[in-house]
Amino acid sequence: MAEHALQSFKPLAGIREAWCSLHLYPNDTKRQVIAYHYCSMLDEDRRQCLVYDSNSKDAKLMAVEYIISQKLFESLDENEKKFWHSHKYECESGMLVQIAKPMVPEMVVETAEIPALQNLCNTYGKTVQLWPVDDQGNCSSKVPSGPPQILASFTADGQVRADLLEKRDKEMGIETEKKRKERMGHVQGNPPAEGADQWFTKGKAWQIYDRGDRGVVEQ
């Protein structure tokens, strides 16, 4: 009998959502990465996601993301809020897309995607990257090195690198701009809550190994 048949994988059995998006480093916004998310629901207010650098069988587990409702986000203290990003722009812009199985018709994907996006667009994420990327957005190091880092989401047009978005679309076989048009009038989020996206709204481009908001890197 195969060894895996004797083992329990219960926490992984709860994964029910698969998404692809892009993240950036809040302290170095030109450093960006394509991220494949596989998420399970803890309850109506909380999701947790394993984040990989690709959708292949040898993908590297590069980060984890925790996703919470707006109600739960607004209950956080002000210091904790600085670690969290909104999902409104990702959902409306076409940047966040479902990972569909090969040969699934686009119409079927769109029908499932729209209500799922509406459910996500008023949520907030905290993404902690463990495997850093190089200047090309790849996890090229042999092992995950350095301290964990916070990743942020995009909040407006003109922020994402065109070459990286084109690479993602080619990998997924989609067109982000087409996705955006499909969602107009169907996916609409609330204005991001106060305290989220601080790298953008307040210019606080810190990283978790810094002292203070924009402080000196710890030695």
Side-chain angles (χ1 to χ4, degrees):
M1 183 180 294
E3 182 179 336
H4 69 268
L6 303 176
Q7 300 175 51
S8 172
F9 298 92
K10 287 183 178 179
L12 299 180
I15 292 176
R16 292 290 182 270
E17 294 179 323
W19 298 94
C20 182
S21 189
L22 296 94
H23 285 288
L24 72 158
Y25 291 77
N27 60 317
D28 186 0
T29 58
K30 295 303 180 184
R31 291 185 67 206
Q32 302 175 8
V33 61
I34 302 168
Y36 291 80
H37 301 63
Y38 299 86
C39 308
S40 58
M41 296 282 295
L42 293 176
D43 52 43
E44 63 179 6
D45 290 312
R46 299 178 298 165
R47 289 174 172 83
Q48 54 188 14
C49 307
L50 301 174
V51 184
Y52 293 86
D53 68 335
S54 76
N55 190 32
S56 66
K57 64 180 182 180
D58 58 351
K60 298 182 180 72
L61 177 63
M62 68 177 190
V64 294
E65 180 167 5
Y66 302 97
I67 297 176
I68 60 175
S69 65
Q70 182 168 336
K71 177 182 70 175
L72 193 51
F73 174 78
E74 290 175 341
S75 73
L76 302 176
D77 66 51
E78 294 308 306
N79 185 65
E80 175 61 26
K81 287 179 179 178
K82 71 183 182 181
F83 297 106
W84 297 79
H85 58 259
S86 65
H87 290 135
K88 171 183 168 67
Y89 177 78
E90 282 186 282
C91 291
E92 294 176 358
S93 67
M95 196 167 294
L96 181 65
V97 296
Q98 284 190 337
I99 304 169
K101 291 181 178 180
M103 307 305 291
V104 175
E106 177 61 28
M107 184 63 70
V108 174
V109 175
E110 181 185 345
T111 299
E113 202 172 50
I114 295 297
L117 287 162
Q118 185 58 45
N119 184 260
L120 273 171
C121 65
N122 292 318
T123 62
Y124 294 80
K126 180 180 185 179
T127 305
V128 183
Q129 188 181 39
L130 306 171
W131 205 313
V133 301
D134 58 26
D135 290 342
Q136 286 71 49
N138 300 316
C139 295
S140 57
S141 60
K142 188 70 173 179
V143 299
S145 59
Q149 298 184 68
I150 288 290
L151 296 179
S153 66
F154 296 91
T155 57
D157 292 347
Q159 295 173 349
V160 67
R161 284 171 35 202
D163 64 309
L164 201 63
L165 188 60
E166 182 179 356
K167 178 183 177 183
R168 191 286 295 268
D169 283 5
K170 185 175 181 180
E171 287 180 4
M172 297 286 294
I174 63 166
E175 296 178 27
T176 294
E177 191 57 34
K178 181 180 177 183
K179 291 283 187 182
R180 181 199 292 258
K181 292 176 181 177
E182 289 172 353
R183 297 171 189 186
M184 293 179 64
H186 301 288
V187 179
Q188 179 63 56
N190 300 328
E194 176 67 27
D197 305 318
Q198 290 193 25
W199 73 272
F200 177 68
T201 61
K202 298 184 179 182
K204 293 185 176 180
W206 48 269
Q207 196 39 268
I208 57 175
Y209 47 70
D210 292 349
R211 291 199 299 265
D213 291 330
R214 302 174 63 95
V216 180
V217 176
E218 295 282 7
Q219 300 297 320

